Amino acid sequence: PPQEATPETGFDASLANADTDLAALARRLAAPEAPRAVSLLLSGPPGTGKSAFARDLAHRLGLAPLVKRASDLLSRWVGGSEQAIAAAFQEAAEEGRFLILDEADGLLADRRGAAQSWEVTQVNELLTWMEHHPLPFACTTNLPERLDPACLRRFLVKIRFDALRPDQAAAAFRRFFGLAAPAGLGDLPPLVPADFALVARKAGLVGAAGDAAALLRLLAEEAGMRPGAAAPVGFRPRD
């Protein structure tokens, strides 16, 4: 797919449930004395803001993002993936761009379970470039448990993203829909920022904008389609 021509907009660190203070981290990395060769691993469920944060961080550092998905780099030909990986890092270094490798578990799979030699050489190639790349770059993954342990040790910064906390979900409802969060919001399965963004787009199409009950139903549909979705633990007293 074509590269994005415009900067990522709308990322709000207060709506990202990460185990790291993202705003503080961005400030430290943007400081003049901060090192440039910084590698970040962003993991967590889909829609939690991993890629959006990486793009936002790139612009805060004054670098244009260069996004590559695993499917862009994987090749059916022997040696092709290694060449594509090398070319991506070379392009980022030569053009001074912030490389973002999405779906990195497809590139950094645990070598202990490799059935083919290219599965090992592919990971080795990426590890080599990670160690020598002069600019910051980030890898995102929904499946960190599939990554090679040696790869995990190579990342200088590791950040876990999770579904929104109840207070964040309420804030997201206000931000995306301009309405106070209804009481039933807390009864839904865990929500992610992408759920609100998608429902905000869908609401205008189906005539649900401004209708809190209808928006809640749309959010429930989105959350319910996520694999492993479950309602919060606990109970509500009867009215």
Side-chain angles (χ1 to χ4, degrees):
Q3 291 294 319
E4 297 178 56
T6 56
E8 180 78 10
T9 58
F11 177 75
D12 185 348
S14 69
L15 297 182
N17 185 12
D19 60 5
T20 298
D21 186 332
L22 301 179
L25 175 64
R27 288 194 298 270
R28 289 196 298 271
L29 293 180
E33 67 276 10
R36 297 292 277 175
V38 177
S39 55
L40 300 97
L41 176 64
L42 313 177
S43 65
T48 48
K50 303 182 297 296
S51 297
F53 169 66
R55 291 177 173 87
D56 182 75
L57 179 60
H59 292 293
R60 288 177 181 271
L61 300 182
L63 302 172
L66 175 63
V67 182
K68 299 288 185 179
R69 296 172 178 83
S71 56
D72 300 328
L73 304 179
L74 293 173
S75 172
R76 58 189 288 188
W77 308 110
V78 176
S81 298
E82 291 87 338
Q83 293 176 7
I85 290 169
F89 277 94
Q90 288 173 338
E91 181 180 357
E94 292 171 1
E95 298 183 5
R97 301 177 69 178
F98 188 114
L99 179 61
I100 302 170
L101 298 180
D102 270 335
E103 305 163 354
D105 46 278
L107 300 168
L108 292 170
D110 194 335
R111 288 169 292 183
R112 293 173 297 182
Q116 304 293 333
S117 61
W118 57 264
E119 295 177 276
V120 175
T121 57
Q122 173 182 295
V123 175
N124 291 343
E125 182 74 18
L126 190 42
L127 287 176
T128 299
W129 281 99
M130 286 174 61
E131 292 177 346
H132 297 94
H133 190 57
L135 294 174
F137 76 96
C139 290
T140 74
T141 178
N142 303 331
L143 303 166
E145 66 277 4
R146 295 188 181 180
L147 298 185
D148 190 280
C151 302
L152 292 173
R153 293 193 296 270
R154 297 298 205 288
F155 287 100
L156 184 62
V157 179
K158 291 182 275 290
I159 305 174
R160 169 75 186 183
F161 289 73
D162 285 302
L164 296 172
R165 301 187 308 269
D167 63 304
Q168 290 178 311
F173 200 97
R174 291 191 297 271
R175 174 185 164 178
F176 282 91
F177 309 135
L179 300 170
L185 185 65
D187 296 329
L188 300 187
L191 296 164
V192 299
D195 293 331
F196 289 91
L198 183 60
V199 167
R201 293 171 57 193
K202 186 183 296 185
L205 185 65
V206 301
D211 185 338
L215 293 168
L216 194 64
R217 287 194 296 271
L218 291 174
L219 283 171
E221 291 174 4
E222 291 302 322
M225 288 188 290
R226 189 175 304 112
V233 175
F235 78 98
R236 291 181 65 196
R238 294 186 178 182
D239 297 331

